[in-house]
Amino acid sequence: MSLPSPNGLLEKLRNGKRSRSWPLRVAGIVGFLVTVFLLVSYNPGMRIALRPHSASHERPLHNVTKPLPYRHALESHIAHLEEIQRWQPPPGMRVIGLVFYGRRRFVTILNCYLQRNLVENGGIIEEYIFVVRTEDEEDLAYLEELLVANPKYSAHRSAGSGFDYSQMWSAVEAGNVYVKIDDDVVRIRASEATLVYAADIYELYIEDSTIRSIVKRKVEHPEYIVVSANLVVQFALTWLHYHLGALHPYLPELTHRKSYTPTTSWRSSELPYWDGPADFNMTSFEAPDHHRWLPLAPGGVVDLEKTPIADVKYGVGGISWEEWTVGAQQHYSFLENLEKDELWRYGFEMWDFHYDRLSINLIAIMGDDVIAMGPMPRDDEELITQIYSKQTGRHVVADGYGVAVHHGYWLMSEHDGKKGMETTDVLDRYRAYAQENICKS
């Protein structure tokens, strides 16, 4: 039996030729139109690149197709990034980077991003001040090389050491804008107001829009005491990134390699699938030096809920602060998202921490506010994000469009006598990406 066409049904309705079954027919028409709409509007292959990468995928990446609900988020994210790239600081406002210097192995990566964000290279930072926090002769020699090679770099020696950050802010002046990150800070200066943007030497990746984005929000919203970047491997944001769908199932490689040559590739698509047992126990894993983390095969016996990230909770501390495995999984997930041009997965408009403690790894803050806080205690983070914030009623927020990557916390390097993040090849992968995409430009 043939069914009448939708046009025929509509014609009968218009002519008043209704039968007792007309409600069912109308429902059929509605269902037909909804089906057609879904088929026409849904395009699983839709993909908009944020930056070109000529990657030849040797295997399919996780979540290659973007679910329909993400389409608006992706388009909104790209439109916002284009708006940010056009933004310039108000006339008379100088943006200065304040870099807390301590370890050359991180700065060899970070330096390319610092250069990229100078005004002369299309950025908004006019100069960098390196706050020296090391006595290592090789670290100091490398810093001297940077100062000689870059007229926009200068050094300021800090009296603080270890976990004493009381002298970190001694270079701050009123009327300037600064940026700060644990052990590394980028500082921004303005003639009438002070803004600080901090980048720790532990920063391994800074998206082109990040510095502009956090500075823009801080300038336009002085009611916030601090504007943080949207940091990957940041204890207060790890839970959020997990629930935004930015993290993927990875586990450590179980085969020990007899020799190691630093990798020249950062692409996750070139990694083999993890082939460990279904009853693998992360707590008994002894991490060898320079080991990789490998993606789990889709539909395998182990999924995301059985990887370290699945136990993360929202709040201060916890495994997102002390477990290196959680940090490693975030790094490899980020590199996968970076290769697929899917950093929009981390995106949100703004996250208000209210008076919760925030790790100030990459922030924008006004120099006038730093001076108003009085003498800085050893724990500058607590004073800025909790004590002074509550005293003034001004919140600490994260800018969801300013993506950057933080290497990890000190507990992730070594905990309970066991080596952690340092045993992975994460640094080599970020260095490979920077040399291929950032340093050359």
Side-chain angles (χ1 to χ4, degrees), residues 59-63 248-254 268 271-278 280 282 293-309 329 332-333 336:
R59 60 167 179 78
L61 292 167
H62 297 301
N63 304 321
H248 308 300
Y250 279 82
L251 285 174
E253 185 175 25
L254 302 182
S268 61
L271 293 170
Y273 284 125
W274 187 79
D275 61 354
F280 172 71
M282 191 71 234
W293 278 55
L294 305 179
L296 306 188
V301 294
V302 180
D303 56 20
L304 183 63
E305 282 66 37
K306 295 179 181 178
T307 61
I309 200 67
Q329 188 173 353
Y332 281 87
S333 294
E336 176 176 328

Side-chain angles (χ1 to χ4, degrees), residues 20 33 57 82 100 116 135 203 210 236 243 260 290 319 363 389 392 416:
R20 294 180 180 179
L33 294 176
H57 302 319
E82 292 175 348
F100 281 68
R116 193 178 180 92
E135 297 298 332
E203 298 318 304
T210 296
H243 287 276
Y260 176 73
H290 309 297
I319 64 172
I363 62 169
S389 176
T392 59
D416 293 335

Side-chain angles (χ1 to χ4, degrees), residues 246-262:
L247 302 181
H248 308 300
Y250 279 82
L251 285 174
E253 185 175 25
L254 302 182
T255 303
H256 293 196
R257 289 177 285 178
K258 295 181 180 180
S259 61
Y260 176 73
T261 301

Side-chain angles (χ1 to χ4, degrees), residues 366-400:
M366 306 305 296
D368 297 79
D369 283 321
V370 173
I371 294 173
M373 295 177 195
M376 193 67 69
R378 288 174 59 91
D379 191 348
D380 59 339
E381 187 173 281
E382 180 186 32
L383 174 64
I384 294 172
T385 65
Q386 294 185 288
I387 298 174
Y388 188 75
S389 176
K390 185 173 291 187
Q391 287 175 349
T392 59
R394 297 164 66 196
H395 292 184
V396 173
V397 302
D399 184 292

